[in-house]
Amino acid sequence: MKRYLVNIAIAMIAATACTDLEEKVYDKLPYDQFGSTLEEMYSIIGPAYKTLKYTASYDQLWGWDNLTSDMLIAPTRIGGDWWDGGVYMEQTNHHWNVDNWVIPGLWNPCMSGITTVNSIISLVEPNELMEPDQKLQVLGELRGLRAYWYYVLCDWFGNVPIVTDFNDTSLPTNRTRKEVFDFVVSELNDIIPYLREDVTSQSYGKFTKGAALTLLAKMYLNAEVWTGVANWQGVIDACDGVMELDYIIEPDWSTNFAVHNEVSREAILPACFSDQDDWGDMYNAIHYYTLHYLDPIALGFSGDTWNGVSAQTAFVNSFSDDDRRKEATFLTGPMIDPATGEVLQTGTAGHPLIHGIEYHIVPGTEGGPGKAYPEGWGEVFQEDGARIQKWEFQKGMQNSFMENDIHIFRLADVYLMKAEALVRQGSNMGEALRLVNIIRERGFGNSDHNLTALTLEDIYNERRFELAFEFGGRQDMIRFGTFTQPNEWKPWVTEEYRKILPIPLDAWRKNNNLVQNPGYPAF
């Protein structure tokens, strides 16, 4: 009896625009007649790449990473907007409960991504039509994508099941964080020889040798936190491997965040988006999350924005006014109606729409015992807080999502990882200083602000200036020892066990072999 591939290319056919996979629809082809070319194989593996789009939502990885750091906040706005039972407040003040409904928003996409990859591997492995080297490349890309999702799980949840066989229906139990770490490192080292290494429009959006080496550097960068054993030389070697490839530090920093940032040769692993994405898909909706309801009028597009996340005050103030990345990252000041030349009005409390960096608790909404909000919280005015404008807003958008891709990894991060490893290792400080100054010189537009000596604090700060609102802010804070420290919106020391999240209750209900992470109530 023949096995059939039914509507393979139809399922999730928008497998990210930037991969340019040119999928064809193969309706019902016999299994033994399909998959002889890379084109046919990419029509199968497209959905695996599409899982990277699950990184970008405010209630998934992007949101968790930024809202648990001291960079971003989703304040409760006047009238109670964005309170949502306090889940975002819990992220900011590190008091999340195991039943916080946003926790599955991070766990589920990771598990879904792994399942999707495993299912596709189960189709590719028995294929006998492909050339052996092409098959090894395709399987390498798939295993790399799976390794990425396990990297996220290792970072955020630590002790998670490892599942590689799609046909294994047994309920797995947790593996230790060290075991997960070792699995990811082993997978990456195994696949690197088989991955393509070109930096071209054809390789953009694919899991390449550069992506694998960057992910390996990330694993080694956090090895001391995750396993107790540092591997700074591993970081250096992996970064050197990336820097030997044809990536460049783009002369114009904004190229990495432009509407059509797929042209960037600094991008190593992108999550690819389109303004044709829809609500049934995953999408880049940073403009919805951050902009005030009326900001699109001033910015030249239309959209029902949500007036949500904005930058924490101290983070904005940490940037030098001479750093061009400050103005490029934060939207502040009066928002002007182009039709009248006047400042837009919020329509609330008689306030004009002027985005300041400070937050002002609305009188009468201050939190405390017996009140609507906990002590230290309250409602803030609609216009409060610097908004994110790092990713260019396309003029003329009509209630659409953003075309901009989000680069999960890019070369500037590699430079800063290598510099950090060199400083921590105490070797070749001159090279570390050179790498950091390359990033600073681009950021400031001149060499006047180049450093003459380098400390770990300098590298920590430069990572924050360069990589603001991308991925890794919380991870950096943990590695540099600032995550648990008090800050503007969290005036207490975070408990050590909160450096990882609890396993979601829903996950345990589906698999009672899971064991809860230390510090959280047992299942």
Side-chain angles (χ1 to χ4, degrees):
M1 180 177 178
K2 289 185 176 179
R3 297 173 63 192
Y4 284 83
L5 299 172
V6 181
N7 296 332
I8 291 243
I10 294 176
M12 304 168 96
I13 195 162
T16 70
C18 65
T19 55
D20 193 24
L21 301 180
E22 298 181 351
E23 294 92 344
K24 293 182 179 179
V25 176
Y26 303 92
D27 185 23
K28 292 185 178 180
L29 293 179
Y31 185 84
D32 57 5
Q33 296 178 21
F34 188 86
S36 61
T37 67
L38 275 178
E39 179 190 32
E40 291 178 353
M41 272 299 163
Y42 275 125
S43 73
I44 298 177
I45 71 174
Y49 279 105
K50 189 175 181 180
T51 66
L52 293 177
K53 297 171 76 170
Y54 289 119
T55 58
S57 179
Y58 75 95
D59 56 358
Q60 295 176 341
L61 177 60
W62 182 85
W64 269 103
D65 187 70
N66 287 292
L67 291 172
T68 57
S69 75
D70 59 0
M71 296 182 185
L72 199 66
I73 186 172
T76 304
R77 303 283 175 182
I78 186 170
D81 196 17
W82 282 84
W83 171 241
D84 290 355
V87 291
Y88 312 118
M89 178 194 69
E90 289 180 3
Q91 290 175 305
T92 295
N93 64 28
H94 297 181
H95 276 179
W96 49 79
N97 296 312
V98 295
D99 57 353
N100 181 309
W101 58 263
V102 188
I103 294 174
L106 180 52
W107 172 275
N108 291 341
C110 294
M111 292 304 177
S112 176
I114 291 165
T115 300
T116 298
V117 171
N118 284 342
S119 69
I120 297 171
I121 288 176
S122 73
L123 293 174
V124 174
E125 282 184 330
N127 180 281
E128 298 178 355
L129 301 178
M130 291 191 74
E131 293 296 326
D133 57 337
Q134 290 185 339
K135 184 175 180 179
L136 286 170
Q137 178 188 318
V138 169
L139 287 172
E141 291 180 36
L142 290 165
R143 291 168 65 187
L145 291 168
R146 183 175 64 192
Y148 170 76
W149 285 116
Y150 271 112
Y151 152 78
V152 176
L153 287 168
C154 187
D155 184 10
W156 283 91
F157 295 95
N159 311 291
V160 300
I162 297 175
V163 178
T164 61
D165 184 354
F166 180 69
N167 296 308
D168 183 358
T169 60
S170 62
L171 297 178
T173 189
N174 310 59
R175 305 287 286 273
T176 67
R177 198 180 207 183
K178 173 68 162 56
E179 289 175 316
V180 179
F181 178 94
D182 289 342
F183 169 74
V184 174
V185 169
S186 175
E187 286 286 283
L188 293 172
N189 281 318
D190 195 32
I191 65 175
I192 283 171
Y194 308 114
L195 297 173
R196 63 191 300 169
E197 61 180 47
D198 57 309
V199 182
T200 63
S201 59
Q202 288 73 38
S203 64
Y204 182 85
K206 297 182 175 66
F207 198 92
T208 61
K209 182 178 181 180
L213 286 167
T214 304
L215 182 51
L216 190 62
K218 287 283 184 185
M219 297 300 295
Y220 291 144
L221 187 71
N222 295 286
E224 188 170 32
V225 173
W226 296 350
T227 72
V229 180
N231 188 352
W232 306 120
Q233 189 59 49
V235 179
I236 295 165
D237 293 343
C239 290
D240 283 342
V242 178
M243 293 164 64
E244 290 170 359
L245 302 174
D246 290 337
Y247 300 103
I248 66 169
I249 295 295
E250 287 286 349
D252 184 348
W253 179 82
S254 65
T255 301
N256 297 298
F257 313 102
V259 172
H260 290 288
N261 57 349
E262 69 273 9
V263 301
S264 172
R265 285 180 56 201
E266 190 170 326
I268 296 174
L269 180 64
C272 299
F273 296 94
S274 167
D275 59 8
Q276 299 303 305
D277 292 333
D278 59 42
W279 290 106
D281 204 348
M282 287 307 299
Y283 37 75
N284 180 353
I286 290 175
H287 58 323
Y288 284 113
Y289 309 150
T290 190
L291 295 179
H292 183 273
Y293 316 116
L294 301 180
D295 281 338
I297 296 173
L299 296 171
F301 66 89
S302 64
D304 296 325
T305 47
W306 303 345
N307 197 32
V309 299
S310 46
Q312 293 199 28
T313 305
F315 182 52
V316 180
N317 284 332
S318 69
F319 282 69
S320 167
D321 289 339
D322 294 331
D323 189 337
R324 298 184 302 180
R325 293 169 296 188
K326 182 176 185 178
E327 183 177 353
T329 299
F330 306 109
L331 177 66
T332 60
M335 304 304 292
I336 306 299
D337 185 341
T340 65
E342 301 294 327
V343 178
L344 292 161
Q345 301 295 310
T346 66
T348 302
H351 287 201
L353 184 51
I354 302 174
H355 290 305
I357 67 173
E358 304 284 345
Y359 294 87
H360 307 89
I361 301 295
V362 177
T365 70
E366 301 90 344
K371 296 187 176 181
Y373 303 108
E375 188 169 353
W377 204 257
E379 298 174 9
V380 304
F381 290 103
Q382 281 192 8
E383 70 276 11
D384 286 354
R387 309 308 165 98
I388 301 170
Q389 64 172 2
K390 190 170 188 175
W391 288 268
E392 179 188 7
F393 300 126
Q394 185 171 15
K395 299 289 186 183
M397 279 192 294
Q398 298 291 322
N399 293 297
S400 69
F401 296 110
M402 295 176 68
E403 177 76 19
N404 322 54
D405 299 332
I406 295 180
H407 300 156
I408 298 171
F409 298 145
R410 58 187 178 93
L411 188 62
D413 190 2
V414 174
Y415 275 40
L416 295 173
M417 285 195 290
K418 181 179 178 181
E420 179 183 339
L422 287 169
V423 172
R424 290 188 185 274
Q425 194 180 60
S427 64
N428 204 342
M429 297 293 285
E431 172 66 0
L433 183 64
R434 183 186 74 86
L435 292 170
V436 172
N437 279 336
I438 288 172
I439 305 304
R440 286 181 64 82
E441 192 164 329
R442 180 178 67 172
F444 283 90
N446 56 57
S447 60
D448 296 348
H449 299 271
N450 283 12
L451 301 173
T452 57
L454 192 62
T455 66
L456 282 175
E457 184 177 5
D458 293 327
I459 294 172
Y460 174 66
N461 288 329
E462 195 60 34
R463 290 188 63 81
R464 290 160 67 82
F465 303 148
E466 176 67 24
L467 304 171
F469 307 133
E470 297 181 49
F471 298 98
R474 160 196 158 275
Q475 187 183 96
D476 288 350
M477 292 182 72
I478 291 173
R479 198 171 61 257
F480 282 89
T482 61
F483 181 74
T484 60
Q485 295 176 6
N487 61 47
E488 177 183 8
W489 288 92
K490 183 183 72 71
W492 47 73
V493 174
T494 300
E495 301 95 328
E496 284 290 319
Y497 72 86
R498 291 188 183 274
K499 289 180 179 178
I500 58 175
L501 294 180
I503 307 296
L505 284 172
D506 284 348
W508 175 78
R509 292 188 181 109
K510 296 173 184 176
N511 176 9
N512 58 21
N513 286 335
L514 295 177
V515 178
Q516 187 56 278
N517 280 326
Y520 297 102
F523 292 126

